Amino acid sequence: MTKTPDAPDTPALGGTASAVSPAALPQLRRRVQAVLVATQILGGLGIATGVALAAVLATEVSGTDALAGLASTATVAGPALLAMPLAALMARRGRRAGLVLAYLLGALGAGVAVLGAVVGSFPVLLIGLVGFGAGSSANLAARFAAADLAEPDRRGRAISTVVWATTIGAVLGPNIAAPAGRSVSGLGIPVAAGPFLWAAVVFVVSALVVAVLLRPDPLLTARALAADDEGAADLPENRSLRAGLRAVRESPQARIALVTVAASHAVMVSIMSMTPVALTHHGAGIELIGLVISVHIAGMYAFSPVMGWLADRLGRLAVIGLAVGLLGVAALLAGTAGASHTRVAAGLFVLGLGWSAGLVSGSALLTDAVPQAARAAVQGLSDTVMNTAAGLGGLAAGVVVSQVGYGPLNALAAALLLPMAALALRGVLRRA
């Protein structure tokens, strides 16, 4: 059965969809990318608005810096817990169902976080932040949706374009944290909780955009095209989570990709999450903290098209090596900044660049390394691993800063790059 780009999906439990004609593919790619770009802007706004003050809000509610790291742990625990169920849902029903669910859970979590702040309950706040983190699950999964229909030699650029779109919302987010806080001051809501209320609204809008406009589903369409091209049956057992684990075990490249995205994310989250706390210790106010986080997020997203182009032209492993170098320099700059807000901002900017290089190159390499049928499962495993690593990093970061300081935290974070560098070098030598 032939299906045009404007025809509805037929994602039964088997997850099947008819292939589009080759002539219709360019238009479909542009349409999918446009929808993903729009939702990345909205989702980035919601996530960054809340993340900018998560540690500060946690400190206010708990009354101690030592527990501030739990805020970042909670926000990445949501994606870690949701990644595999989300991957299973996408494997059965496509990207649209998974993205809508993730955004709605993010909205619910943001509302619970506000409730926790209002009643002064730290456990309720953490539960809310776990749900809030689900919104970032959608933004992370969108990069793989962009790669579903991309040509193999343009996957890096397809992923990076969607990652780049987050720049607009993510840079604006921390800077509207202050007005978002002031907007709820007369409602009995703490100022630091205001951004989460705004984030809830943004996530609901993002869910609606995906539900209405992301048709036909890119994953189901790509799977149908692959089955047509290869003459292979699109069987549920070939795209199960077990099949995804098997695909990773059988591919050294996939293992390099998993370590890359996990290490890059863990280093970034552990340093970034405690930077607002470190800045407050040196007299920074909420506006300056928002500016520094905006600079960091600009580094994360604004230059991702460059990372995608480099990954396609120079190779995935070369850009992984670049990520190691950038993240190491970032840790050095931020860790030795002391009271210099400018040096901290420079370190956070480079930290964002390193994260971008690692995420884009690692995601492209992972997509290259596994069969089409297993990709959704492998991608879910990747997001589970990276967010679990980041959650542990964020948890440890609060303890490290409270006990020995922000400088040692950066040194310990840089040590996480060693396995990533060793595996990438091994991959290069294997290819030589």
Side-chain angles (χ1 to χ4, degrees), residues 181-196:
R182 289 192 294 268
S183 72
V184 300
S185 59
L187 304 176
I189 298 174
V191 170
F196 291 94

Side-chain angles (χ1 to χ4, degrees), residues 15-100:
T16 58
S18 300
V20 299
S21 67
L25 265 178
Q27 179 184 356
L28 178 56
R29 289 188 184 111
R30 290 192 295 270
R31 178 175 179 174
V32 167
Q33 190 170 79
V35 174
L36 294 174
V37 164
T39 54
Q40 287 293 95
I41 293 172
L42 291 170
L45 178 64
I47 294 164
T49 303
V51 167
L53 291 180
V56 174
L57 182 60
T59 299
E60 289 181 2
V61 175
S62 69
T64 174
D65 287 349
L67 296 180
L70 285 175
S72 63
T73 299
T75 58
V76 296
L81 294 171
L82 186 61
M84 294 307 288
L86 198 63
L89 176 62
M90 289 182 177
R92 293 194 309 270
R93 304 301 300 267
R95 299 291 186 193
R96 188 170 66 252
L99 293 176
V100 168

Side-chain angles (χ1 to χ4, degrees), residues 158-201:
I159 291 170
S160 65
T161 297
V162 171
V163 172
W164 169 86
T166 312
T167 308
I168 300 172
V171 171
L172 287 176
N175 287 294
I176 66 171
R182 289 192 294 268
S183 72
V184 300
S185 59
L187 304 176
I189 298 174
V191 170
F196 291 94
L197 188 61
W198 284 33
V201 176

Side-chain angles (χ1 to χ4, degrees), residues 81-239:
L81 294 171
L82 186 61
M84 294 307 288
L86 198 63
L89 176 62
M90 289 182 177
R92 293 194 309 270
R93 304 301 300 267
R95 299 291 186 193
R96 188 170 66 252
L99 293 176
V100 168
L101 175 63
Y103 279 130
L104 291 179
L105 288 175
L108 177 62
V112 172
V114 173
L115 175 64
V118 171
V119 301
S121 171
F122 190 64
V124 172
L125 172 64
L126 290 182
I127 292 171
L129 290 176
V130 170
F132 170 76
S136 64
S137 292
N139 273 36
L140 289 171
R143 76 190 192 278
F144 290 125
D148 286 334
L149 295 173
E151 302 97 321
D153 63 348
R154 295 186 63 86
R155 281 187 185 131
R157 277 165 280 189
I159 291 170
S160 65
T161 297
V162 171
V163 172
W164 169 86
T166 312
T167 308
I168 300 172
V171 171
L172 287 176
N175 287 294
I176 66 171
R182 289 192 294 268
S183 72
V184 300
S185 59
L187 304 176
I189 298 174
V191 170
F196 291 94
L197 188 61
W198 284 33
V201 176
V202 170
F203 285 153
V204 170
V205 174
S206 299
L208 290 173
V209 171
V210 170
V212 173
L213 299 179
L214 194 63
R215 298 173 182 270
D217 190 279
L219 176 60
L220 301 184
T221 302
R223 191 176 287 159
L225 287 169
D228 287 350
D229 291 342
E230 301 166 9
D234 181 25
L235 301 177
E237 59 266 28
N238 291 334
R239 56 179 186 268

Side-chain angles (χ1 to χ4, degrees), residues 254-267:
R255 294 196 293 272
I256 294 172
L258 280 176
V259 172
T260 294
V261 296
S264 299
H265 202 50
V267 170

